[in-house]
Amino acid sequence: TKDEFDLLKQKLIMDSTSDLNKLNSSTNKEPGNDSESSIDNSSKVKIKKIDEIFHHSSIVIWDIIDDFIILKIDGKFSILNIKTKNIIPLNTDYIKYTNVGAETMILLHYSEYEYSSVVNLSGEIIYTNNDKNIEVRAIYTFEKDNNAMPLLLVKDNRTKKEGYIKLNGDIFIPLVYKNIYEFSEGLALVEVEEGKYGFIDSNNNLKIPALFSVAETFSNGLALVVNNNGIGYISKQKLEIPFEYGVNSKDFAFGLACVTKYNGSNYIIDKSNNIKIDLGNHWFSNDLGLFNKNGLLKGYKKGKVGVIDRLGNEIIPFVYKFLTVADTDPILFGYKSNDNEVYGVNSLNNKVLPAIFEHVIIHQSIIIAKKNNFYGLYDFDGNKLIDYEYNVIVYEDRGLLIALKD
């Protein structure tokens, strides 16, 4: 699963007794209060080749985007160009990034929000903030009429209010909200005052009044909202599903939501509040209670795990101690059938790998398996591709294998 994959990526740390020379001892300045950038736009910083870096540093592979790898070198983020093998140091230990059309933009934070800038994957400065009264909290993509625009979520430390600005510094949403969240389906969730949530449009019109004590962003045309009576669901026009559900009720996906009644009964309902599946007192939760990309939902019955589809059909029997379902074609799932710490992989119809592994991760077209503290690779038919000789293997979206071997 993605969570397991992200955890594995964090383990991809290579330690060495040698220290890396400062990447930017002569070219780059430490972030300060002046308006000068921490990266020199006029001449790209090309410090070291990747082979040199890998043998003399502590490295964490963070993400891979197109032809670039975002990685941490000795605790600081850098961008590696896969084609040229050149590294651009970013000199920060905290980043956020978003895709705006075909371009990835990276938000850099220094000194706990005192200094922020936005760069692209080539290291070019797009935005710099030197106002200590303004914290740049996050970067998001706002989409309207098939056009995408990056927005910065900012907070004024004097008023403690939040809003959005554009990369040129212009105000997009005034800094008047206690909290503001990402736009979803054309509306942004805002906390107007303590415990009062509503929704605004991109022109800062309050389209849905702040009548809710808790709310979630829109998903599948509906938003989960809470008042003193419980959980309900609203459209952009009205209350669609009354406040009759309790905690553990989830957002909609595929036009369905998992909900809980106050008597402990669980259901899957549609957007008209019709009960489609009565789950009884068995709770189903698959990544926050949502159906996965294949429309499957993991659940628990009498301490055992299985999977149903959107019609309530039992797809994977409730016989497993542990189960993780991959968004793959064909559908594969990793399982643990008893208290022994061993895992296997099955498809819906066949056994792929027996339960003899310390860990398995199903990703795209391969299976990463751990045995005797080493990792190897299998295909979806259970054929071994790489023997157990690596301390860590990470498979990224580009089909690139990153491996650690002593």
Side-chain angles (χ1 to χ4, degrees):
T1 66
K2 183 179 185 301
D3 289 341
E4 292 175 318
F5 179 56
D6 288 342
L7 287 173
L8 180 60
K9 284 201 293 188
Q10 304 311 312
K11 295 178 182 178
L12 189 56
I13 300 174
M14 302 166 66
D15 294 313
S16 173
T17 56
S18 300
D19 291 325
L20 176 66
N21 294 329
K22 281 191 175 181
L23 291 178
N24 58 344
S25 57
S26 60
T27 309
N28 289 320
K29 297 176 61 178
E30 287 298 316
N33 297 326
D34 58 14
S35 61
E36 292 187 31
S37 165
S38 64
I39 297 177
D40 185 355
N41 280 326
S42 60
S43 59
K44 286 293 188 297
V45 182
K46 297 181 179 179
I47 305 300
K48 285 182 177 291
K49 292 292 185 179
I50 187 171
D51 293 340
E52 300 174 57
I53 297 291
F54 271 22
H55 284 90
H56 298 283
S57 308
S58 297
I59 291 182
V60 179
I61 304 296
W62 201 260
D63 203 353
I64 295 182
I65 305 171
D66 298 326
D67 292 318
F68 299 88
I69 298 178
I70 298 176
L71 68 165
K72 266 190 171 182
I73 302 175
D74 293 341
K76 299 294 183 181
F77 280 100
S78 294
I79 301 173
L80 165 66
N81 186 313
I82 296 174
K83 290 182 177 179
T84 65
K85 296 188 178 180
N86 290 322
I87 290 178
I88 301 171
L90 301 178
N91 303 318
T92 179
D93 55 6
Y94 183 79
I95 67 171
K96 292 182 179 179
Y97 47 92
T98 187
N99 292 323
V100 183
E103 185 172 19
T104 297
M105 296 186 181
I106 305 173
L107 172 64
L108 315 178
H109 284 318
Y110 304 96
S111 304
E112 296 182 354
Y113 300 106
E114 287 186 6
Y115 178 97
S116 299
S117 60
V118 176
V119 302
N120 60 21
L121 288 173
S122 297
E124 296 169 332
I125 295 289
I126 302 172
Y127 166 85
T128 299
N129 171 49
N130 294 309
D131 187 347
K132 284 191 173 183
N133 293 315
I134 300 297
E135 293 182 7
V136 182
R137 307 291 298 181
I139 184 168
Y140 294 118
T141 300
F142 173 72
E143 296 184 0
K144 184 177 181 180
D145 299 329
N146 296 320
N147 294 316
M149 174 177 63
L151 292 177
L152 297 175
L153 192 161
V154 296
K155 179 178 181 179
D156 190 326
N157 285 323
R158 295 161 296 189
T159 63
K160 306 301 181 184
K161 299 294 186 179
E162 294 183 349
Y164 278 111
I165 64 172
K166 300 177 183 180
L167 290 184
N168 63 6
D170 291 346
I171 298 293
F172 185 76
I173 298 293
L175 281 65
V176 296
Y177 298 104
K178 180 176 177 58
N179 285 290
I180 188 169
Y181 299 87
E182 187 175 5
F183 277 89
S184 176
E185 300 185 10
L187 298 180
L189 172 66
V190 292
E191 187 178 10
V192 176
E193 56 183 272
E194 187 72 36
K196 298 290 185 180
Y197 289 86
F199 294 84
I200 62 170
D201 64 14
S202 58
N203 294 317
N204 197 34
N205 298 312
L206 190 63
K207 304 299 289 185
I208 299 175
L211 303 174
F212 312 107
S213 57
V214 177
E216 299 287 346
T217 56
F218 272 86
S219 173
N220 261 211
L222 297 180
L224 182 154
V225 291
V226 181
N227 68 9
N228 292 334
N229 296 319
I231 292 175
Y233 296 85
I234 61 171
S235 65
K236 295 177 182 179
Q237 291 78 34
K238 62 178 182 177
L239 178 68
E240 300 288 350
I241 296 176
F243 296 93
E244 59 185 30
Y245 296 109
V247 294
N248 291 326
S249 299
K250 303 300 179 181
D251 290 331
F252 273 82
F254 293 99
L256 301 171
C258 299
V259 295
T260 302
K261 287 277 194 179
Y262 286 107
N263 62 7
S265 297
N266 300 292
Y267 305 94
I268 294 177
I269 61 171
D270 63 17
K271 291 183 178 182
S272 299
N273 202 25
N274 299 310
I275 295 176
K276 306 302 290 185
I277 305 173
D278 186 344
L279 302 173
N281 58 2
H282 306 298
W283 178 239
F284 283 68
S285 179
N286 186 77
D287 295 335
L288 302 180
L290 301 177
F291 289 90
N292 73 1
K293 292 179 181 178
N294 290 313
L296 302 180
L297 190 65
K298 183 169 67 175
Y300 302 84
K301 286 185 179 181
K302 298 179 180 180
K304 295 293 184 180
V305 189
V307 170
I308 63 171
D309 64 14
R310 284 174 279 172
L311 299 177
N313 299 314
E314 187 174 293
I315 301 300
I316 300 175
F318 291 81
V319 297
Y320 297 101
K321 185 76 174 180
F322 169 86
L323 193 66
T324 178
V325 184
D327 290 326
T328 54
D329 184 15
I331 296 168
L332 298 183
F333 61 94
Y335 69 91
K336 182 171 68 171
S337 57
N338 49 48
D339 291 326
N340 297 328
E341 291 300 318
V342 290
Y343 298 84
V345 176
N346 286 352
S347 67
L348 296 184
N349 301 313
N350 301 298
K351 288 187 176 181
V352 178
L353 295 178
I356 59 173
F357 299 97
E358 298 155 26
H359 191 62
V360 293
I361 295 178
I362 306 166
H363 193 68
Q364 290 192 355
S365 59
I366 63 167
I367 302 167
I368 301 173
K370 183 180 181 182
K371 188 176 181 181
N372 297 326
N373 291 320
F374 288 93
Y375 287 88
L377 290 182
Y378 289 85
D379 65 19
F380 281 1
D381 294 320
N383 300 311
K384 186 186 293 184
L385 303 176
I386 296 178
D387 206 358
Y388 306 99
E389 53 183 300
Y390 293 94
N391 301 89
V392 173
I393 296 178
V394 175
Y395 185 84
E396 282 284 2
D397 293 338
R398 297 177 70 256
L400 181 68
L401 284 169
I402 305 171
L404 168 63
K405 184 177 181 180
D406 285 341

